[in-house]
Amino acid sequence: MSASSPLFRFVQAEFPWTLGPPSGRYLLRPEDQPEAPAAYVIVFATLGAPERRRLAALRKQRDAPPEPAPTPVSTGRATVIEVGEPLTDAAQARAWLEQAGEDELADGLGVLNRALHAFRLVTADPYLHTVSRRQALVARVGFGIGEQVADGLWTDARELTLTDGRTRRARVLHPQARLAAVLGSRELPLACEELTLRARQDLDHGREREAALQLVVALDAALAELARDRTADALADRLAELRARRESVATAAQSALSGPLTVTERDTVRFTLTRIESALRARAVANA
């Protein structure tokens, strides 16, 4: 490694599917700053088995064996390289690596998800999706010189092990029991549940305008569906709280049609979304 070679921080994650964008390098600039220098380079690569549909095209249809072996699948790898602020020397780089961990990985996955969301839009493919930490087969943080990290290599890196504490988020109690109830038609899923999940994903990925627009629909659906749910009496106070927030949420959604939200509107979206999620958890508990 040359003493004058700048070193670049990266995070890298591999997933048990192809991520979508064709393999290659992609520059990311700060949002709404097309003239700014690139802040990140994302390198997409597909590893592993050839696509099954290509192999199938080369052979005639045949009977499926009664105990088929698992089919090899491709693995998608993304390397997010921070190029806006290179590290000056190996000592600085190793000091950074010693303290780097899940927070740096989360920032890198946020950048990756911005790229995946953009690819979903430009391809008009509603089935492409973003990724989460717990979906990664392996995750790394490290540093290296430019061409090295662009090729998926590094000067020094370490793998991050996901602990149970990092996978937990506010969940409904006994999800297996509830899944059985929904699949067995003993409990009806609500439209507002799906709409709320979409709003949460938008908000978590920094799409505040989309979150505001999604939230007003999720709130209206929650008010209508929960009011006629068999748990309505148990949720009366929560429903009253949500009704009181309807006007401020509508104002935020109207602002989102024309531009960024104000600080107050962002807080309204965040808080109201958590209150809808809380009401839905209370419903699940009441149904248990």
Side-chain angles (χ1 to χ4, degrees), residues 172-173 280-288:
V172 175
L173 297 176
L280 292 174
R281 289 193 296 271
R283 172 185 181 259
V285 171
N287 275 327

Side-chain angles (χ1 to χ4, degrees), residues 59 67 85 103 173 226 248 263 268:
R59 63 192 182 208
E67 296 184 13
E85 297 181 7
D103 289 341
L173 297 176
L226 294 178
S248 60
V263 172
T268 292

Side-chain angles (χ1 to χ4, degrees), residues 142-212:
F143 65 88
I145 60 176
E147 286 301 313
Q148 187 181 45
V149 293
D151 288 337
L153 306 175
W154 51 80
T155 300
D156 199 0
R158 60 191 180 89
E159 291 190 3
L160 302 179
T161 301
L162 185 63
T163 62
D164 289 343
R166 297 293 301 199
T167 63
R168 289 190 185 126
R169 190 176 174 176
R171 298 178 181 172
V172 175
L173 297 176
H174 308 300
Q176 284 183 300
R178 187 171 183 232
L179 176 62
V182 170
L183 294 180
S185 296
R186 298 191 304 277
E187 178 184 335
L188 293 178
L190 303 180
C192 65
E193 293 182 280
E194 174 62 29
L195 297 170
T196 300
L197 290 174
R198 295 178 188 179
R200 170 55 65 189
Q201 185 180 61
D202 283 333
L203 189 59
D204 283 355
H205 291 152
R207 300 188 292 269
E208 294 175 342
R209 293 179 62 207
E210 292 89 333

Side-chain angles (χ1 to χ4, degrees), residues 57-81:
L58 301 178
R59 63 192 182 208
K60 294 182 179 179
Q61 182 175 352
R62 65 182 186 183
D63 293 336
E67 296 184 13
T71 301
V73 297
S74 298
T75 299
R77 183 176 70 194
T79 307
V80 179
I81 307 164

Side-chain angles (χ1 to χ4, degrees), residues 7 51 55 78 90 116 179 190 218 225 231 245 250 254 262-263 272 281:
L7 296 168
E51 295 182 43
L55 295 178
L116 295 177
L179 176 62
L190 303 180
E225 291 179 305
T231 63
R245 304 198 63 80
Q254 189 63 35
T262 66
V263 172
T272 305
R281 289 193 296 271

Side-chain angles (χ1 to χ4, degrees), residues 49-129:
E51 295 182 43
R52 184 175 183 177
R53 63 177 178 269
R54 292 180 181 173
L55 295 178
L58 301 178
R59 63 192 182 208
K60 294 182 179 179
Q61 182 175 352
R62 65 182 186 183
D63 293 336
E67 296 184 13
T71 301
V73 297
S74 298
T75 299
R77 183 176 70 194
T79 307
V80 179
I81 307 164
E82 187 176 341
V83 297
E85 297 181 7
L87 299 163
T88 57
D89 54 43
Q92 183 190 24
R94 291 195 171 90
W96 171 82
L97 183 58
E98 284 182 5
Q99 57 82 38
E102 291 291 337
D103 289 341
E104 285 71 22
L105 178 61
D107 291 342
L109 292 181
V111 175
L112 170 60
N113 279 328
R114 177 187 160 198
L116 295 177
H117 180 68
F119 187 69
R120 179 174 180 266
L121 295 181
V122 300
T123 57
D125 187 345
Y127 295 100
L128 291 174
H129 56 83

Side-chain angles (χ1 to χ4, degrees), residues 13 15 17-28 41-47 75-81 111-117 119 129 131 149-152:
F15 300 89
W17 61 81
T18 56
L19 291 169
S23 295
R25 306 175 188 179
Y26 299 83
L27 295 178
L28 271 78
V41 171
I42 299 184
V43 183
F44 287 99
T46 299
L47 314 172
T75 299
R77 183 176 70 194
T79 307
V80 179
I81 307 164
V111 175
L112 170 60
N113 279 328
R114 177 187 160 198
L116 295 177
H117 180 68
F119 187 69
H129 56 83
V131 298
V149 293
D151 288 337

